[in-house]
Amino acid sequence: MNYFDQDLTSLHADLVAKKISAVALAKATFENLREIDPKLGAFLNLNEEAALKRAAEIDAKGINPDNIMAGIPVAVKDNIVTKGLTTTAASKMLEHFVPVYDATVVEKMAANDAVIIGKNNMDEFAMGGSTENSAFKVTRNPWDVSRVPGGSSGGSAVAVASGQVPVAFGSDTGGSIRQPSSFNGVVGMKPTYGRVSRWGLIAFASSLDQIGPMTRTVKDNAAALNMIAGYDQHDGTSSKREVPDFTAGLDGNIKGMKIGLPKEYMDEGIDPKVREVINNAVKKFEELGATVEEVSLPNSRYGVSAYYIIASSEASSNLQRFDGIRYGFRADDVKNLEDVYVRSRSEGFGDEVKRRIMLGTFSLSAGYYDAYFHKAGQVRTMIINDFNKVFEDYDMIMGPVAPTPAFKIGDEISDPITMYMNDVLTIPVNLAGLPGMSVPAGFADGLPVGLQLIGKAFDESTLYKAGYAFEQATDVHKQTPKVGGAN
């Protein structure tokens, strides 16, 4: 059982017709996972006993014909808390942490009878762009196992790209759904800030984090977002705005759509082969009846600098709770209270997390707050204004997700600045709180390249409509990796 030849629609039809049961589907998923995942390392924890029990309960009550997610195996990034199932955020700090409640998105999955198969590997506390910062293992790209899967939701992207699950859920703070989706050739949606509850997401940067789905097709992605979107009283930043049916407008018709292509997203910093893939995508959109014109987002070049001040400042505050006192890792043989704090945090956090805590603490410190954090907030407003200006005349913005295809494991891990610059095209979307989606657009040297679609706030529907039209007019999404790298 792999999920290369089936989508949610066909799986749902088989479940409703009783060609396969939820239990049989779950068992087949675990069998496939045991064969494939040792080569890739997409999963940190499996939920086999509970998943099979849940699948049996779903079979016993019957599959609801109107609920496309019923009985469907899904995977969840390991920074989304799951009651009774170890949730580590890929950190030694939480190596043995078993949550006592479910995140709101997990509750919504249960309410829709989705079956959680396991938890996906990631960069520690979602800090990184390659899934090399996990405390437990390095995840590998199924298109070429010598390359990174991207990050921080690398495990979730690999689980879908390698056919282990049809749907996985990640989090995106500066591109952590879209960049690994691009590197692995899958569809990844970062919804509008507030569209999906963050209750139960282990916080990295509270004004930027957002949970979203990763799937093989645009329609599957829209169905997955339908399941998790909506207001939550536990999350004061979640929106009360009504959630539309994101699958409703997928008709392939984008005639008359106006799309902006920022010149800053296609400059000399972009790999020429990536630029070629995006230019080909532009031509396809024009063939489909859309108008694509060059626009400018002049302040986007300051996005990385502003982001790493804002995100690191929020992270330093959010991670204060991991102090060796209440829960999580605690150092042995400590002599006093200061020892507990210093040694527990020194031994429990990895290098990248420490780097960002130090940067954030410095940015918030007396004497530097105005020069750094306050200034970064002003730049954020300038970036938001750039987007607003473009959206006065255009329905959507498009461009590359990342400057390059997936790079080799080990190539950039020792150079934080180079690693940070990989997010230059995704970060502005988070700073502005907008929806952004990666859709497979082509290949560069046999490696997937994603097309980034950026929409107005709470207008995910337009992105899905455009992404679906492009997907149906191409065959990129039908290509699958031969796990191991012979692509």
Side-chain angles (χ1 to χ4, degrees):
M1 177 74 217
N2 65 52
Y3 293 100
F4 291 146
D5 302 320
Q6 287 191 291
D7 59 12
L8 291 184
T9 302
S10 63
L11 284 168
H12 180 61
D14 287 349
L15 285 163
V16 171
K18 298 191 175 176
K19 288 183 181 177
I20 190 168
S21 67
V23 168
L25 192 59
K27 283 182 177 176
T29 301
F30 283 113
E31 286 169 14
N32 185 46
L33 192 152
R34 274 190 281 271
E35 180 185 341
I36 292 178
D37 203 52
K39 303 169 194 167
L40 300 174
F43 285 85
L44 285 177
N45 295 299
L46 297 182
N47 190 38
E48 189 162 5
E49 185 179 340
L52 292 173
K53 181 183 176 188
R54 181 75 182 121
E57 292 169 357
I58 293 164
D59 282 332
K61 73 176 181 178
I63 300 292
N64 179 353
D66 298 324
N67 177 14
I68 198 169
M69 296 304 302
I72 299 296
V74 302
V76 179
K77 187 176 179 179
D78 206 31
N79 60 345
I80 299 170
V81 301
T82 41
K83 184 178 180 180
L85 179 62
T86 304
T87 301
T88 69
S91 177
K92 184 179 176 184
M93 182 64 78
L94 291 174
E95 186 172 4
H96 304 295
F97 174 57
V98 180
V100 296
Y101 72 100
D102 279 326
T104 295
V105 293
V106 174
E107 289 180 349
K108 286 176 177 278
M109 292 173 209
N112 282 271
D113 289 339
V115 178
I116 295 176
I117 295 297
K119 307 298 288 293
N120 294 128
N121 195 25
M122 55 184 283
D123 287 296
E124 183 182 6
F125 285 103
M127 299 180 191
S130 64
T131 316
E132 293 172 279
N133 290 322
S134 169
F136 307 115
K137 61 168 79 168
V138 172
T139 300
R140 298 177 178 275
N141 192 312
W143 294 89
D144 180 349
V145 293
S146 71
R147 294 181 184 269
V148 303
S152 62
S153 307
S156 301
V158 169
V160 173
S162 57
Q164 296 185 66
V165 290
V167 182
F169 294 90
S171 66
D172 191 312
T173 306
S176 289
I177 287 173
R178 288 159 291 152
Q179 186 244 32
S181 293
S182 174
F183 281 7
N184 288 276
V186 300
V187 179
M189 169 64 85
K190 193 260 347 156
T192 308
Y193 184 79
R195 175 67 90 184
V196 177
S197 172
R198 293 182 297 109
W199 174 260
L201 174 67
I202 295 172
F204 164 13
S206 302
S207 74
L208 300 162
D209 299 340
Q210 190 62 186
I211 296 169
M214 306 163 91
T215 58
R216 291 190 53 74
T217 70
V218 171
K219 187 176 179 183
D220 284 2
N221 202 279
L225 184 58
N226 278 345
M227 177 172 67
I228 63 167
Y231 172 70
D232 176 19
Q233 63 178 4
H234 294 305
D235 176 5
T237 62
S238 77
S239 173
K240 292 184 178 179
R241 190 179 292 232
E242 187 177 345
V243 179
D245 177 2
F246 296 115
T247 64
L250 308 184
D251 55 12
N253 180 14
I254 56 168
K255 285 185 176 136
M257 188 177 283
K258 287 192 69 180
I259 302 171
L261 179 68
K263 61 185 181 183
E264 294 83 4
Y265 282 30
M266 298 290 279
D267 64 15
E268 66 275 4
I270 308 301
D271 183 311
K273 291 178 180 175
V274 170
R275 196 184 298 121
E276 182 183 355
V277 169
I278 302 306
N279 282 327
N280 289 337
V282 169
K283 288 175 193 164
K284 183 59 69 176
F285 272 90
E286 289 175 335
E287 286 171 21
L288 292 168
T291 302
V292 183
E293 297 174 348
E294 185 178 86
V295 297
S296 180
L297 297 170
N299 293 298
S300 61
R301 67 182 182 272
Y302 305 123
V304 171
S305 303
Y307 170 86
Y308 278 97
I309 291 170
I310 292 168
S312 297
S313 297
E314 293 183 14
S316 73
S317 177
N318 280 323
L319 269 59
Q320 284 180 9
R321 69 195 71 175
F322 303 109
D323 54 11
I325 300 294
R326 288 161 288 187
Y327 61 97
F329 176 78
R330 184 171 186 169
D332 294 327
D333 303 322
V334 290
K335 297 180 175 61
N336 52 47
L337 185 60
E338 184 179 358
D339 235 13
V340 174
Y341 291 146
V342 173
R343 285 193 43 207
S344 295
R345 290 170 68 79
S346 297
E347 295 170 26
F349 289 138
D351 288 346
E352 182 60 32
V353 175
K354 291 177 193 170
R355 185 180 292 119
R356 298 202 195 189
I357 289 172
M358 290 170 70
L359 175 61
T361 304
F362 171 80
S363 299
L364 291 173
S365 61
Y368 295 100
Y369 175 90
D370 285 333
Y372 292 98
F373 187 77
H374 183 64
K375 187 69 70 179
Q378 291 174 318
V379 171
R380 182 180 197 168
T381 300
M382 292 163 63
I383 289 170
I384 291 169
N385 291 339
D386 282 353
F387 278 115
N388 289 341
K389 187 174 180 183
V390 171
F391 283 133
E392 287 176 7
D393 299 313
Y394 295 89
D395 301 307
M396 190 180 77
I397 292 168
M398 67 188 292
V401 175
T404 67
F407 45 88
K408 293 265 190 181
I409 291 171
D411 269 9
E412 298 185 9
I413 191 70
S414 59
D415 184 354
I417 302 302
T418 300
M419 186 75 83
Y420 293 171
M421 290 308 294
N422 283 310
D423 297 333
V424 66
L425 303 174
T426 52
I427 276 171
V429 176
N430 296 79
L431 288 171
L434 300 173
M437 181 167 72
S438 175
V439 180
F443 295 87
D445 298 325
L447 296 167
V449 173
L451 171 70
Q452 182 172 209
L453 306 179
I454 303 166
K456 300 172 185 175
F458 297 101
D459 192 19
E460 292 86 358
S461 294
T462 294
L463 303 189
Y464 282 132
K465 187 178 180 70
Y468 181 80
F470 176 74
E471 181 183 82
Q472 295 305 300
T474 61
D475 64 353
V476 180
H477 67 288
K478 295 176 182 174
Q479 301 187 48
T480 56
K482 299 178 183 74
V483 175
N487 296 290

